Amino acid sequence: MSALKNFVAAVVCTTSALCAFSASATVIPVGNLKTDTQTKLTTDTTTGRQYTRFDAFNLTYANLLTALATGGQWAGWSIATSAVSDSFIAAALGTTTPCTGNTYGAQCGTVAGWTDSKLGAAYSSGSDYYTYLEGNQAGLVYIASNGAIMDYAGWGSATAPDGYKGSTPINYLLYKETAAVPEPASLALLGLGLLGLGMARRRPRK
């Protein structure tokens, strides 16, 4: 029984720590995404996949490849492909149906409650951008000030986002597959359930 009590205590402690961390960070919901301004990461709550915020870094294509290599700052991450970008857009819109970016300037929909830089300040004020890579071509995703999303497949070369119309790169979207993490409330319920099971098993028999 003492082992069970220790486990429940650990769950409560962990839950409290997670809650404290959540209180100190700014976590913003965007459709099925949750973006954290402190960690500079965005998580798809339905799949657990993580993405970088648009302001997570400012790297040219060559410097980004170095950062993605073993031992680099972003080792273990990958540059988003067209398919990954489509899933990211769908999650931002709160749906699971990808917006296919095969058409140049495809309109994918409008993000509800959108404000500028909600997923990270990107390239210029008033609208937000990110790029993805399909083969040796960069695709561009543009989010207008009203939240309307447009996908420009085959927008330019892989290095086209480097200092586009200035010295600031349009960042590539990075992603990493991760397992979905249970919410603190779920951990607490699991601990209480195990406690109840342990108490039931120790109840004296008549």
Side-chain angles (χ1 to χ4, degrees), residues 130-180:
Y130 73 81
T131 48
Y132 58 86
L133 195 64
E134 193 65 32
N136 60 358
Q137 291 286 304
L140 175 73
V141 174
Y142 165 74
I143 307 178
S145 58
N146 66 347
I149 301 179
M150 282 161 280
D151 188 345
Y152 296 88
W155 169 73
S157 67
T159 58
D162 295 356
Y164 177 69
K165 290 185 179 180
S167 59
T168 304
I170 299 177
N171 286 328
Y172 276 100
L173 180 71
L174 303 185
Y175 75 100
K176 182 169 67 172
E177 304 292 357
T178 60

Side-chain angles (χ1 to χ4, degrees), residues 32 52 63 69-70 77 79 87 93 101 133 137 145 153:
N32 293 334
T52 49
N63 289 336
T70 302
W77 291 75
I79 298 175
S87 296
L93 294 172
L133 195 64
Q137 291 286 304
S145 58

Side-chain angles (χ1 to χ4, degrees), residues 62-125:
N63 289 336
L64 178 58
L65 292 181
T66 300
L68 290 169
T70 302
Q73 179 184 0
W74 294 98
W77 291 75
S78 303
I79 298 175
T81 61
S82 176
V84 171
S85 175
D86 291 343
S87 296
F88 175 81
I89 293 172
L93 294 172
T95 179
T96 56
T97 304
C99 169
T100 55
N102 296 326
T103 304
Y104 192 79
Q107 296 189 16
C108 300
T110 301
V111 180
W114 179 259
T115 55
D116 184 37
S117 304
K118 203 167 190 178
L119 291 171
Y123 174 63
S124 66
S125 59

